[in-house]
Coordinates of all heavy atoms in Angstrom, one line a residue:
L189 N 32.2 19.6 -56.4 CA 31.1 18.9 -57.1 C 29.9 18.6 -56.2 O 30.1 18.2 -55.0 CB 31.6 17.6 -57.7 CG 30.6 16.6 -58.3 CD1 30.0 17.1 -59.6 CD2 31.3 15.2 -58.6
I190 N 28.7 18.8 -56.7 CA 27.5 18.3 -56.0 C 26.8 17.3 -56.9 O 26.6 17.5 -58.1 CB 26.6 19.5 -55.7 CG1 27.3 20.5 -54.7 CG2 25.2 19.1 -55.0 CD1 26.5 21.8 -54.4
E191 N 26.3 16.2 -56.3 CA 25.7 15.2 -57.0 C 24.3 14.8 -56.5 O 24.1 14.8 -55.3 CB 26.5 13.9 -57.0 CG 27.9 14.1 -57.6 CD 28.8 12.9 -57.3 OE1 28.8 12.0 -58.1 OE2 29.5 12.9 -56.3
I192 N 23.4 14.6 -57.4 CA 22.0 14.1 -57.1 C 21.9 12.7 -57.5 O 22.1 12.3 -58.7 CB 21.0 15.0 -57.8 CG1 21.2 16.5 -57.4 CG2 19.6 14.5 -57.3 CD1 20.3 17.4 -58.3
E193 N 21.5 11.8 -56.5 CA 21.5 10.4 -56.8 C 20.1 9.8 -56.3 O 19.6 10.3 -55.3 CB 22.6 9.6 -56.1 CG 24.0 10.1 -56.6 CD 25.1 9.4 -55.8 OE1 24.8 8.8 -54.8 OE2 26.3 9.5 -56.3
V194 N 19.7 8.8 -56.9 CA 18.5 8.0 -56.5 C 18.7 6.6 -56.6 O 19.2 6.1 -57.6 CB 17.2 8.4 -57.3 CG1 16.0 7.7 -56.8 CG2 16.9 9.9 -57.2
I195 N 18.4 5.8 -55.5 CA 18.5 4.4 -55.5 C 17.1 3.8 -55.2 O 16.6 4.2 -54.1 CB 19.6 3.9 -54.5 CG1 20.9 4.4 -54.9 CG2 19.5 2.3 -54.5 CD1 22.0 4.0 -54.0
A196 N 16.6 3.0 -56.0 CA 15.3 2.4 -55.8 C 15.4 0.8 -55.7 O 16.1 0.2 -56.5 CB 14.3 2.8 -56.9
T197 N 14.7 0.3 -54.8 CA 14.6 -1.2 -54.6 C 13.1 -1.5 -54.7 O 12.2 -0.7 -54.9 CB 15.2 -1.7 -53.3 OG1 14.4 -1.1 -52.2 CG2 16.6 -1.2 -53.2
E198 N 12.8 -2.8 -54.5 CA 11.4 -3.2 -54.5 C 10.6 -2.5 -53.4 O 9.4 -2.3 -53.5 CB 11.3 -4.7 -54.4 CG 11.7 -5.4 -55.7 CD 11.5 -6.9 -55.6 OE1 11.0 -7.4 -54.5 OE2 11.9 -7.7 -56.5
K199 N 11.3 -2.3 -52.3 CA 10.6 -1.8 -51.1 C 10.8 -0.3 -50.8 O 9.9 0.3 -50.1 CB 11.0 -2.6 -49.9 CG 10.6 -4.1 -49.9 CD 11.1 -4.8 -48.7 CE 10.6 -6.3 -48.7 NZ 11.0 -7.0 -47.5
N200 N 11.9 0.3 -51.2 CA 12.2 1.6 -50.8 C 12.8 2.4 -52.0 O 13.3 1.9 -53.0 CB 13.3 1.6 -49.7 CG 12.8 0.9 -48.5 OD1 12.0 1.4 -47.8 ND2 13.4 -0.3 -48.2
I201 N 12.7 3.7 -51.8 CA 13.4 4.6 -52.8 C 14.1 5.7 -52.0 O 13.5 6.2 -51.0 CB 12.4 5.3 -53.8 CG1 13.2 6.1 -54.8 CG2 11.3 6.1 -53.1 CD1 12.3 6.5 -56.0
A202 N 15.4 6.0 -52.3 CA 16.2 6.9 -51.5 C 16.7 8.0 -52.4 O 17.3 7.7 -53.5 CB 17.3 6.2 -50.8
F203 N 16.6 9.3 -52.0 CA 17.1 10.4 -52.8 C 18.3 11.0 -52.0 O 18.2 11.2 -50.8 CB 16.0 11.5 -52.9 CG 14.8 11.1 -53.6 CD1 13.8 10.4 -53.0 CD2 14.6 11.4 -55.0 CE1 12.6 10.0 -53.6 CE2 13.5 11.0 -55.6 CZ 12.5 10.3 -55.0
S204 N 19.4 11.2 -52.7 CA 20.6 11.6 -52.0 C 21.1 12.9 -52.7 O 21.1 13.0 -53.9 CB 21.7 10.6 -51.9 OG 21.3 9.5 -51.2
V205 N 21.6 13.8 -51.9 CA 22.4 15.0 -52.3 C 23.8 14.9 -51.7 O 23.9 14.9 -50.5 CB 21.7 16.3 -52.0 CG1 22.6 17.5 -52.3 CG2 20.3 16.4 -52.7
V206 N 24.8 14.7 -52.6 CA 26.1 14.5 -52.1 C 27.0 15.7 -52.4 O 27.0 16.2 -53.6 CB 26.7 13.3 -52.9 CG1 28.1 13.0 -52.4 CG2 25.8 12.1 -52.8
D207 N 27.6 16.3 -51.4 CA 28.6 17.3 -51.6 C 30.0 16.9 -51.2 O 30.2 15.9 -50.5 CB 28.1 18.6 -50.8 CG 28.4 18.5 -49.3 OD1 29.5 18.4 -48.9 OD2 27.4 18.6 -48.6
H208 N 31.0 17.6 -51.8 CA 32.4 17.3 -51.5 C 33.0 18.5 -50.8 O 34.1 18.9 -51.2 CB 33.1 16.9 -52.8 CG 32.5 15.7 -53.5 ND1 32.9 14.4 -53.3 CD2 31.4 15.6 -54.3 CE1 32.2 13.6 -54.0 NE2 31.3 14.3 -54.6
G209 N 32.3 19.0 -49.8 CA 32.8 20.2 -49.2 C 33.5 20.0 -47.9 O 34.2 19.0 -47.7
Q210 N 33.1 20.8 -46.9 CA 33.8 20.8 -45.6 C 33.4 19.7 -44.7 O 34.0 19.3 -43.7 CB 33.7 22.1 -44.9 CG 32.2 22.5 -44.5 CD 32.0 23.9 -44.1 OE1 32.5 24.8 -44.7 NE2 31.3 24.1 -43.0
G211 N 32.2 19.1 -45.0 CA 31.7 18.0 -44.1 C 31.1 18.5 -42.8 O 31.0 19.7 -42.6
I212 N 30.6 17.6 -42.0 CA 29.9 17.9 -40.8 C 30.6 17.1 -39.7 O 30.8 15.9 -39.8 CB 28.4 17.5 -40.8 CG1 27.7 18.2 -42.0 CG2 27.7 17.9 -39.5 CD1 26.3 17.8 -42.2
S213 N 31.0 17.8 -38.6 CA 31.6 17.2 -37.5 C 30.7 16.2 -36.8 O 29.5 16.4 -36.8 CB 32.2 18.2 -36.5 OG 31.1 18.9 -35.9
D214 N 31.2 15.2 -36.1 CA 30.4 14.3 -35.3 C 29.6 15.1 -34.2 O 28.5 14.7 -33.9 CB 31.3 13.2 -34.7 CG 31.8 12.3 -35.7 OD1 31.2 12.2 -36.8 OD2 32.9 11.7 -35.4
E215 N 30.2 16.1 -33.7 CA 29.5 16.9 -32.7 C 28.3 17.6 -33.2 O 27.2 17.6 -32.6 CB 30.4 18.0 -32.1 CG 29.8 18.8 -31.0 CD 30.7 20.0 -30.6 OE1 31.9 20.0 -31.0 OE2 30.2 20.8 -29.8
D216 N 28.4 18.2 -34.5 CA 27.3 18.9 -35.1 C 26.2 18.0 -35.6 O 25.0 18.4 -35.6 CB 27.8 19.8 -36.2 CG 28.6 21.0 -35.8 OD1 28.3 21.5 -34.7 OD2 29.4 21.5 -36.5
K217 N 26.6 16.7 -35.9 CA 25.6 15.8 -36.5 C 24.4 15.6 -35.6 O 23.3 15.4 -36.0 CB 26.2 14.5 -36.8 CG 27.0 14.5 -38.1 CD 27.7 13.2 -38.4 CE 28.6 13.3 -39.6 NZ 29.4 12.0 -39.8
Q218 N 24.7 15.6 -34.3 CA 23.6 15.3 -33.3 C 22.7 16.5 -33.1 O 21.6 16.4 -32.4 CB 24.2 14.8 -32.0 CG 25.1 15.8 -31.3 CD 25.8 15.2 -30.1 OE1 25.2 14.5 -29.3 NE2 27.1 15.5 -29.9
Y219 N 23.0 17.7 -33.6 CA 22.2 18.9 -33.4 C 21.7 19.5 -34.6 O 20.9 20.4 -34.5 CB 23.1 19.9 -32.6 CG 23.6 19.5 -31.3 CD1 25.0 19.3 -31.1 CD2 22.8 19.2 -30.2 CE1 25.5 18.9 -29.9 CE2 23.3 18.8 -29.0 CZ 24.6 18.6 -28.8 OH 25.1 18.2 -27.6
I220 N 22.1 19.1 -35.8 CA 21.8 19.9 -37.0 C 20.3 19.9 -37.4 O 19.9 20.8 -38.1 CB 22.6 19.3 -38.3 CG1 22.3 17.9 -38.5 CG2 24.1 19.6 -38.1 CD1 23.0 17.3 -39.8

Side-chain angles (χ1 to χ4, degrees):
L189 172 66
I190 295 175
E191 300 170 89
I192 303 169
E193 301 174 345
V194 179
I195 297 177
T197 65
E198 290 183 3
K199 295 182 178 180
N200 301 289
I201 185 166
F203 300 81
S204 296
V205 173
V206 184
D207 73 63
H208 300 266
Q210 63 192 44
I212 303 172
S213 69
D214 291 336
E215 179 187 356
D216 285 333
K217 282 177 185 174
Q218 56 186 321
Y219 300 115
I220 57 174

